[in-house]
Coordinates of all heavy atoms in Angstrom, one line a residue:
K103 N -131.5 72.4 53.0 CA -132.0 73.4 53.9 C -133.5 73.0 54.2 O -134.3 73.0 53.3 CB -131.9 74.8 53.3 CG -130.5 75.2 53.2 CD -130.5 76.6 52.6 CE -129.0 77.1 52.5 NZ -128.9 78.4 51.9
I104 N -133.8 72.7 55.4 CA -135.1 72.4 55.8 C -135.6 73.3 57.0 O -134.8 73.9 57.7 CB -135.3 70.9 56.1 CG1 -134.4 70.5 57.3 CG2 -135.0 70.0 54.9 CD1 -134.7 69.1 57.8
A105 N -136.9 73.4 57.1 CA -137.5 74.2 58.2 C -138.2 73.2 59.1 O -138.5 72.1 58.7 CB -138.4 75.2 57.6
E106 N -138.6 73.7 60.2 CA -139.4 72.8 61.1 C -140.9 72.7 60.6 O -141.4 73.6 59.9 CB -139.5 73.5 62.5 CG -138.1 73.4 63.2 CD -138.2 74.1 64.6 OE1 -139.3 74.0 65.2 OE2 -137.2 74.6 65.0
G108 N -144.6 73.0 60.1 CA -145.6 74.0 60.5 C -145.0 75.4 60.6 O -145.8 76.4 60.8
K109 N -143.8 75.7 60.3 CA -143.2 77.0 60.2 C -143.6 77.7 59.0 O -143.8 77.1 57.9 CB -141.7 77.0 60.3 CG -141.1 76.6 61.7 CD -141.3 77.7 62.6 CE -140.6 77.3 63.9 NZ -140.6 78.4 64.9
Q110 N -143.7 79.0 59.0 CA -144.0 79.9 57.9 C -142.7 80.0 57.1 O -141.6 80.4 57.6 CB -144.5 81.2 58.3 CG -145.9 81.2 58.9 CD -146.9 80.7 57.9 OE1 -147.0 81.2 56.8 NE2 -147.7 79.7 58.2
V111 N -142.8 79.8 55.8 CA -141.6 79.9 54.9 C -142.1 80.7 53.6 O -143.3 80.9 53.4 CB -141.0 78.6 54.4 CG1 -140.5 77.8 55.6 CG2 -142.1 77.7 53.7
L112 N -141.1 81.1 52.8 CA -141.4 81.6 51.5 C -141.1 80.5 50.5 O -140.0 80.0 50.5 CB -140.6 82.9 51.2 CG -140.9 84.1 52.1 CD1 -139.9 85.2 51.8 CD2 -142.3 84.6 51.9
A113 N -142.1 80.2 49.6 CA -141.9 79.2 48.6 C -141.8 79.8 47.2 O -142.7 80.6 46.9 CB -143.0 78.2 48.7
R114 N -140.8 79.5 46.5 CA -140.7 80.1 45.1 C -141.7 79.5 44.2 O -141.9 78.2 44.2 CB -139.3 79.9 44.6 CG -139.1 80.8 43.3 CD -137.7 80.8 42.9 NE -137.5 79.6 42.2 CZ -136.4 79.4 41.4 NH1 -135.5 80.3 41.3 NH2 -136.3 78.2 40.8
W128 N -142.4 84.8 45.1 CA -142.4 84.0 46.3 C -143.7 84.1 47.0 O -144.4 85.2 46.9 CB -141.3 84.5 47.3 CG -139.9 84.4 46.7 CD1 -139.3 85.3 46.0 CD2 -139.0 83.3 46.9 NE1 -138.0 84.8 45.6 CE2 -137.8 83.6 46.2 CE3 -139.1 82.1 47.6 CZ2 -136.8 82.7 46.2 CZ3 -138.0 81.2 47.6 CH2 -136.9 81.5 46.9
D129 N -144.2 83.0 47.5 CA -145.5 83.0 48.2 C -145.3 82.6 49.7 O -144.4 81.7 49.9 CB -146.5 82.0 47.6 CG -146.9 82.5 46.2 OD1 -147.1 83.7 46.0 OD2 -147.0 81.6 45.3
K130 N -146.1 83.1 50.6 CA -146.0 82.7 52.0 C -146.7 81.3 52.0 O -147.8 81.1 51.4 CB -146.8 83.7 52.9 CG -146.0 84.9 53.1 CD -146.7 85.8 54.1 CE -146.0 87.1 54.2 NZ -146.7 88.0 55.1
A131 N -146.1 80.4 52.8 CA -146.6 79.0 52.9 C -146.2 78.4 54.2 O -145.4 79.0 54.9 CB -146.1 78.2 51.7
T132 N -146.9 77.3 54.6 CA -146.5 76.6 55.8 C -145.7 75.3 55.3 O -146.2 74.6 54.5 CB -147.8 76.2 56.5 OG1 -148.6 77.3 56.8 CG2 -147.5 75.4 57.8
Y133 N -144.6 75.1 56.0 CA -143.7 74.0 55.6 C -144.3 72.7 56.2 O -144.6 72.6 57.3 CB -142.3 74.3 56.2 CG -141.3 73.3 55.7 CD1 -140.8 73.4 54.4 CD2 -140.8 72.3 56.5 CE1 -139.9 72.5 54.0 CE2 -139.9 71.4 56.1 CZ -139.4 71.5 54.8 OH -138.5 70.6 54.3
V145 N -145.2 72.2 50.8 CA -145.7 73.3 51.5 C -147.2 73.4 51.3 O -147.8 72.8 50.4 CB -145.1 74.6 51.0 CG1 -143.6 74.6 51.3 CG2 -145.3 74.9 49.6
E148 N -151.8 79.4 51.7 CA -152.7 80.0 52.6 C -154.1 79.5 52.5 O -154.9 79.5 53.4 CB -152.7 81.5 52.5 CG -151.3 82.1 53.0 CD -151.3 83.6 52.8 OE1 -152.1 84.2 52.0 OE2 -150.4 84.2 53.4
T157 N -137.6 75.3 45.9 CA -136.9 76.2 46.7 C -137.7 76.9 47.8 O -138.8 77.3 47.5 CB -136.3 77.3 45.8 OG1 -135.6 76.7 44.7 CG2 -135.4 78.2 46.5
I158 N -137.2 76.9 49.0 CA -137.8 77.6 50.1 C -136.9 78.6 50.7 O -135.6 78.4 50.6 CB -138.4 76.7 51.2 CG1 -137.3 75.9 51.8 CG2 -139.5 75.8 50.6 CD1 -137.7 75.2 53.1
R159 N -137.4 79.6 51.4 CA -136.6 80.5 52.2 C -137.2 80.5 53.6 O -138.4 80.7 53.7 CB -136.6 81.9 51.6 CG -135.8 82.1 50.4 CD -135.7 83.6 50.0 NE -134.9 83.7 48.8 CZ -134.9 84.9 48.2 NH1 -135.6 85.9 48.5 NH2 -134.1 84.9 47.1
R160 N -136.4 80.3 54.6 CA -136.9 80.3 55.9 C -137.2 81.8 56.3 O -136.4 82.7 56.1 CB -135.9 79.7 56.9 CG -135.9 78.2 56.6 CD -134.9 77.5 57.5 NE -133.6 77.7 56.9 CZ -132.5 77.1 57.4 NH1 -132.5 76.4 58.5 NH2 -131.3 77.3 56.8
S161 N -138.3 82.0 57.0 CA -138.6 83.4 57.5 C -138.1 83.5 58.9 O -138.1 82.6 59.7 CB -140.1 83.6 57.5 OG -140.6 83.5 56.2
P162 N -137.6 84.7 59.3 CA -137.1 84.9 60.6 C -138.2 84.9 61.6 O -139.3 85.1 61.3 CB -136.4 86.3 60.6 CG -136.9 87.0 59.4 CD -137.4 85.9 58.5

Side-chain angles (χ1 to χ4, degrees):
K103 292 182 179 179
I104 59 173
E106 292 180 30
K109 289 284 186 175
Q110 290 294 309
V111 295
L112 294 174
R114 193 171 77 165
W128 298 86
D129 293 320
K130 289 183 181 179
T132 303
Y133 189 76
V145 296
E148 291 179 342
T157 307
I158 62 165
R159 286 185 180 168
R160 291 179 277 186
S161 299

